[in-house]
Amino acid sequence: EAQVTQNPRYLITVTGKKLTVTCSQNMNHEYMSWYRQDPGLGLRQIYYSMNVEVTDKGDVPEGYKVSRKEKRNFPLILESPSPNQTSLYFCASRWGEGNEQFFGPGTRLTVL
Amino acid sequence: GQQLNQSPQSMFIQEGEDVSMNCTSSSIFNTWLWYKQEPGEGPVLLIALYKAGELTSNGRLTAQFGITRKDSFLNISASIPSDVGIYFCAGQEMEYGNKLVFGAGTILRVKS
């Protein structure tokens, strides 16, 4: 089944404790993105990647890192999480610039 | 980063009623997408529009790509309880590497 998977689905952590949210897609998509969803703000792009080893900042990159060492994986790293990073995070992938974007199921992160 | 203006923010309607929501932008888009998000899930694509003036249907859903390329609407006819969810518009900007920009979402509740 074609899909985007994220882990973990739920995470509660404390300020400053490094964490990684994994994302994997099995559709051989070139483009992958991370979004955060907050009430009233919709989906805001954090980082995106156009291919292996090619990443760029989205609208809200502060406090986040990403890497794209393999085509299928695009982990999101929070080196020192803070409470304002409490949010619902989505990973997404697509073939190319003009194509449908598939979303993962989401990761709900709470930073205390 | 730019956000689309999506309205209304929320709707609480009677089952069987028609629903209309729209998005506007100050930028020109080359693609408009409409997504639906159900609780605990990632957004799922409903309709994609690729040409100005295009009118596309998907079952009870109809969406149009505005002729100015700065707006789009989504109509749902004869709403049913399973239409409940958050509906997002998204536009793909020509000038920013085909970046996808999302509206804040319309929360739809259906009273049966």
Side-chain angles (χ1 to χ4, degrees), chain B residues 5-77:
Chain B
N5 295 313
Q6 183 172 351
S7 64
Q9 272 190 324
S10 64
M11 305 178 76
F12 190 15
I13 61 167
Q14 187 71 41
E15 181 178 358
E17 286 185 7
D18 296 343
V19 172
S20 186
M21 57 191 81
N22 69 82
C23 277
T24 60
S25 168
S26 55
S27 298
I28 291 174
F29 290 117
N30 58 7
T31 301
W32 280 95
L33 306 170
W34 285 93
Y35 286 86
K36 179 187 178 187
Q37 182 182 22
E38 298 191 9
E41 304 289 334
V44 174
L45 185 69
L46 298 173
I47 292 180
L49 302 158
Y50 298 105
K51 290 195 312 189
E54 180 181 355
L55 183 72
T56 296
S57 293
N58 178 6
R60 293 178 294 107
L61 277 59
T62 303
Q64 184 158 32
F65 192 145
I67 200 75
T68 64
R69 307 178 85 159
K70 294 182 178 181
D71 64 313
S72 177
F73 72 74
L74 174 71
N75 288 340
I76 305 173
S77 63

Side-chain angles (χ1 to χ4, degrees), chain A residues 90 105, chain B residues 36-44 82-88:
Chain A
F90 288 102
Chain B
K36 179 187 178 187
Q37 182 182 22
E38 298 191 9
E41 304 289 334
V44 174
S82 62
D83 289 334
V84 163
I86 305 176
Y87 291 79
F88 290 101

Side-chain angles (χ1 to χ4, degrees), chain A residues 9 35 37 40-45 59 88 90 94 97-98 100-101 103-105, chain B residues 1 3 35 37 40-43 45 50 86 88 92 97-100 102-104:
Chain A
R9 293 290 312 276
Y35 295 86
Q37 183 180 11
L41 296 176
L43 289 149
R44 294 180 294 168
Q45 193 178 52
D59 296 320
L88 180 58
F90 288 102
R94 55 184 166 136
E97 293 180 348
E100 175 184 350
Q101 185 152 243
F103 284 86
Chain B
Q3 264 198 312
Y35 286 86
Q37 182 182 22
E41 304 289 334
L45 185 69
Y50 298 105
I86 305 176
F88 290 101
Q92 197 160 30
N98 285 303
K99 177 183 166 183
L100 207 56
F102 283 83

Side-chain angles (χ1 to χ4, degrees), chain A residues 46-72:
Chain A
I46 302 170
Y47 267 95
Y48 64 98
S49 169
M50 290 172 283
N51 215 321
V52 174
E53 302 290 6
V54 181
T55 63
D56 207 349
K57 296 177 181 178
D59 296 320
V60 287
E62 294 77 22
Y64 304 95
K65 282 173 55 177
V66 293
S67 71
R68 188 93 182 273
K69 294 186 169 56
E70 307 162 281
K71 200 171 189 178
R72 62 182 293 127

